[in-house]
Amino acid sequence: MAKIAVIGGDGIGPEVVGAGIKVLQIAADSDPALELEFTEFPWGCEYYLEHGRMMPEDGLETLSGFDALYLGAVGWPTVPDHVSLWQLLIPIRRSFDQYVNLRPARILRGVESPLRDPGSLDVTVVRENTEGEYSNSGGRLFAGTPREMAVQDSVFTRHGLERILRYAFDLAGTRRGQVIGATKSNGISITMPFFDEVFREISETYPDVEASLMHADALAARLVLDPESFDVVVGSNLLGDILSEVTAAVSGAIGIAPSANINPEGDHPSLFEPIHGSAPDIAGEGVANPAGAIWAAALMLDHLGHAETGARIVEALEATLESGTKTGDLGGSATMDEVTDAVVGRLRG
Ligand code: ATP
């Protein structure tokens, strides 16, 4: 029995995870080895406005007892973004040492890329998720004076680099055998050369994987101009974040893309979510695209050792979109429930 903690969060978050759970339950029905138990937690911005915190004091302890975490979206205009991020998602990523942020991007059948000629885009961005530029080391001085200043350190450790790079190279070994490291060592002259150095060291231990480094700005441009030429891209917390937003955009629409925050050793639960936010403009209307949440659910099954069932879910989703049952953001006219029910119908066979 896999115990799943569900944090729907804000806006369309609870709507799309509801769709994902429906799909997961049906998929589990046809997989005798898969039993899922869902426990929902009402944490997020509404909870913050009521309690002054995004989750209870013992929230992390509560979550630590689960096999996986399934999240919708966290963020609402009445709560500053840095509060919602630093009080919920970042503590989860760090405490559970979810050092891999995995963002696969592919043009699903029935989805049109905004690019004229995207080819057969199928790229996964592996983003370092616990250190790098997203550090809370730094501060501000001389506030309110003309000397006001802000400093924030980037933290790159050999331990952190080696493990994320190995993950990327291992992953490439199961795919098309190519890793491109996103760097910026021409401008950022201390931490990025260190990234490059460790990248080269690790690449030597993977003779079967083709490895190269590319400056992140040129890489972003090539993702748009020639997305087909990529297999696995690995980058620091900030560069990986930005580049995976590009891969999500060129693969169709933000509502499709999933993301996994993984603790590969399984010492702590991993977290699975669509990459989109709470989308206040369409919240409550029943028109959100559930594809990102459904694909994230498939990634969760993959991680829990049920890759075949995960693949069946993605196939059912693709077949649904291909048949024209899709939401407005993809040029269709279906509601979220219509898309979800069509996916469920295909899974039932
Ligand atoms: P946040 O600030 O929490 O990241 P946001 O909603 O401002 O959230 P995005 O999630 O990037 O930012 O969404 C931008 C816009 O894209 C939304 O306002 C919405 O119009 C559209 N969008 C995002 N997700 C979906 C979805 N699942 N289905 C349909 N449209 C979506």
Side-chain angles (χ1 to χ4, degrees):
M1 159 90 75
K3 288 168 61 191
I4 316 293
V6 180
I7 305 172
D10 306 301
I12 62 170
E15 302 174 34
V16 295
V17 293
I21 291 172
K22 242 195 226 178
V23 170
L24 281 167
Q25 273 165 337
I26 297 301
D29 284 351
S30 57
D31 181 347
L34 179 61
E35 223 182 305
L36 300 170
E37 182 190 274
F38 298 95
T39 309
E40 299 197 22
F41 296 95
W43 303 340
C45 291
E46 216 170 294
Y47 186 92
Y48 174 85
L49 293 173
E50 213 171 299
H51 300 89
R53 46 189 312 140
M54 293 292 291
M55 62 175 158
E57 215 164 324
D58 61 354
L60 290 172
E61 208 183 306
T62 305
L63 295 178
S64 68
F66 287 84
D67 296 302
L69 318 176
Y70 188 39
L71 186 126
V74 174
W76 199 247
T78 49
V79 178
D81 275 352
H82 68 271
V83 170
S84 47
L85 195 64
W86 279 90
Q87 286 196 17
L88 192 87
L89 269 183
I90 292 190
I92 290 176
R93 284 177 191 162
R94 300 225 163 140
S95 310
F96 295 149
D97 206 18
Q98 295 167 346
Y99 61 86
V100 177
N101 184 206
L102 197 67
R103 296 199 179 184
R106 189 158 69 74
I107 301 179
L108 301 182
R109 301 195 307 275
V111 175
E112 222 178 290
S113 165
L115 300 179
R116 195 171 44 211
D117 182 18
S120 55
L121 179 164
D122 179 359
V123 50
T124 291
V125 177
V126 176
R127 164 190 173 194
E128 204 293 321
N129 213 24
T130 53
E131 52 176 51
E133 303 87 346
Y134 290 29
S135 95
N136 49 4
S137 157
R140 287 175 79 144
L141 283 178
F142 313 124
T145 76
R147 290 170 72 198
E148 183 162 14
M149 59 161 278
V151 178
Q152 187 156 13
D153 298 318
S154 289
V155 177
F156 286 72
T157 66
R158 175 168 282 280
H159 171 74
L161 286 172
E162 285 182 352
R163 63 185 188 173
I164 194 68
L165 290 166
R166 279 210 189 91
Y167 187 93
F169 278 85
D170 284 337
L171 178 66
T174 67
R175 291 171 47 100
R176 300 191 302 282
Q178 182 222 67
V179 174
I180 295 185
T183 183
K184 198 59 194 142
S185 49
N186 51 353
I188 299 175
S189 62
I190 299 172
T191 50
M192 284 294 162
F194 182 44
F195 175 93
D196 295 1
E197 199 180 300
V198 181
F199 181 92
R200 290 196 185 96
E201 280 171 30
I202 298 290
S203 69
E204 276 167 25
T205 65
Y206 288 86
D208 297 334
V209 175
E210 185 196 323
S212 55
L213 285 158
M214 218 174 153
H215 291 305
D217 44 350
L219 204 164
R222 194 167 124 195
L223 278 172
V224 174
L225 297 172
D226 186 16
E228 205 177 13
S229 64
F230 292 92
D231 180 16
V232 173
V233 172
V234 60
S236 65
N237 214 329
L238 175 66
L239 298 184
D241 191 12
I242 296 169
L243 294 170
S244 59
E245 215 54 36
V246 177
T247 57
V250 297
S251 66
I254 190 165
I256 298 170
S259 140
N261 296 272
I262 299 177
N263 172 252
E265 292 75 22
D267 296 332
H268 308 280
S270 295
L271 180 146
F272 302 83
E273 58 178 332
I275 74 158
H276 62 75
S278 57
D281 53 330
I282 54 164
E285 290 176 19
V287 297
N289 188 348
I294 293 173
W295 193 349
L299 292 181
M300 180 160 74
L301 292 190
D302 210 2
H303 178 74
L304 292 171
H306 297 271
E308 242 172 69
T309 307
R312 278 187 57 228
I313 289 180
V314 176
E315 174 52 37
L317 174 65
E318 276 201 86
T320 299
L321 300 176
E322 191 178 26
S323 75
T325 306
K326 48 192 176 185
T327 44
D329 56 318
L330 296 180
S333 58
T335 62
M336 185 188 78
D337 284 342
E338 283 165 354
V339 174
T340 310
D341 291 345
V343 174
V344 163
R346 283 193 160 77
L347 283 170
R348 281 210 178 102

